[in-house]
Amino acid sequence: MEGKARVRQGGGAVGAAAAHAVSVFKLRIGAAITLSALVGLAVTDGPQLGAGKVALLAVAVFLSSASAGAFNQYFERDIDARMERTRRRPFVSGACRANWRWLVAISAMLAIAVAVAAVSLNGLAALYVFLGAFVYGVIYTVWLKRRTALNIVVGGLAGSFAVLAGSAAVDPSVPPHPVPLLLALALFFWTPPHFWSLAAALRADYALAGVPMLPVVVGERATAAAILGHTVVLFAVSLLPIAFGMGWVYFAGAAVGGGLFLWRSLALFRHPTPAAAMANFNASLAQLGCLLAGAMLDRLA
């Protein structure tokens, strides 16, 4: 019986450590960012990369995203402590101690990610890998988030750089090919309405924390209008790759996902309630999934 208890305790400790890692390094976001890079690779015309280089691209982007996510939680632990949604994060709860060792580890992760991309791919891909983490970790988290309601507009570049990193791995041309460039632009326009929807649903939380997210600064109605405007532009941009060779599979993903997001954004504009905002947040996730899956499957079809 004691042996079984120790096994259960050990399993519980492993599970807790895994949950902390998922939270601190924002691994769910990292998975989406990595998929974005792989889509950027898939839609770019050029020499086919071997499986090893594709795997190294994924590792570099994933490590870069994880380092930025960990720095975000390290730096924002004071804000997280004041918000109901985030007050149980490891740096707030004490499960992870915020000290200089974390900064060293985070810096080392980013350095390894950039080095892997530079050595196995090329310098431009490595630059995009670095810029994705830098924009999210420094420009957004340190410089803009506590200062302006436009924080996430600039922060939206972080996801765009992942697409460009994947594209540069195949062809380091400047400017990039039209399709990955348009998909990067779509990620740029997707990020603000995605985060504004969450912030609108949790407006009281952000207000309590003193974070000037758009719903806190301009109110629910103006935020809903901004979300709808961005979603309209996003939907239009997401369809433009059709003019540059993307096929019907991509069109179906972009149209279905974009149509759902647009419908939910219109519903939010008509009735800007927290429930409608959360429904729109979920629709934004579905839209991104449909867009990326459609782009990937289109090239495999």
Side-chain angles (χ1 to χ4, degrees):
M1 294 295 291
E2 292 180 1
K4 291 182 179 180
R6 283 194 294 269
V7 169
R8 284 195 296 269
Q9 290 173 359
V14 171
H20 294 331
V22 169
S23 175
V24 168
F25 295 108
K26 297 193 173 184
L27 297 186
R28 295 184 183 90
I29 295 176
I33 293 292
T34 303
L35 177 59
S36 299
L38 294 176
V39 167
L41 182 151
V43 301
T44 302
D45 294 327
Q48 185 174 1
L49 296 186
K53 287 193 174 183
V54 174
L56 288 172
L57 168 68
V59 168
V61 173
F62 192 75
L63 276 178
S64 173
S65 175
S67 70
F71 180 76
N72 173 269
Q73 290 211 12
Y74 179 95
F75 188 81
E76 292 187 351
R77 59 192 185 276
D78 60 326
I79 294 176
D80 288 344
R82 298 196 293 270
M83 297 179 63
E84 177 62 31
R85 183 176 68 92
T86 57
R87 64 179 51 173
R88 286 172 289 279
R89 284 177 171 175
F91 282 125
V92 179
S93 68
C96 295
R97 297 185 61 184
N99 53 41
W100 63 270
R101 293 181 180 85
W102 272 100
L103 294 178
V104 172
I106 290 167
S107 300
M109 288 173 62
L110 181 57
I112 291 171
V114 173
V116 166
V119 172
S120 63
L121 302 170
N122 55 65
L124 186 59
L127 177 61
Y128 288 141
V129 167
F130 169 77
L131 288 176
F134 182 78
V135 167
Y136 185 73
V138 177
I139 303 299
Y140 169 69
T141 299
V142 176
W143 184 28
L144 295 178
K145 186 167 183 178
R146 304 178 192 228
R147 289 179 171 86
T148 172
L150 298 178
N151 46 28
I152 201 59
V153 175
V154 179
L157 285 170
S160 301
F161 282 124
V163 178
L164 297 179
S167 177
V170 177
D171 183 359
S173 298
V174 178
H177 288 215
V179 172
L181 185 59
L182 287 169
L183 288 178
L185 189 61
L187 263 290
F188 175 73
F189 283 112
W190 174 85
T191 307
H194 168 72
F195 276 99
W196 285 340
S197 295
L198 180 63
L202 304 174
R203 182 175 179 271
D205 234 9
Y206 281 101
L208 184 63
V211 180
M213 296 302 286
L214 194 67
V216 176
V217 175
V218 304
E220 296 172 346
R221 173 61 65 180
T223 298
I227 289 172
L228 179 59
H230 271 76
T231 306
V232 169
V233 175
L234 164 63
F235 186 58
V237 169
S238 71
L239 295 178
L240 289 178
I242 302 298
F244 295 93
M246 297 300 286
W248 69 268
V249 177
Y250 173 80
F251 174 78
V256 171
L260 173 63
F261 195 12
L262 191 59
W263 173 56
R264 284 295 187 184
S265 294
L266 183 59
L268 175 62
F269 178 72
R270 290 171 173 166
H271 304 286
T273 64
M278 185 55 72
N280 203 49
F281 173 77
N282 292 328
S284 72
L285 295 173
Q287 189 274 339
L288 181 63
C290 288
L291 185 71
L292 296 179
M296 183 68 79
L297 293 174
D298 192 84
R299 284 308 171 101
L300 295 176

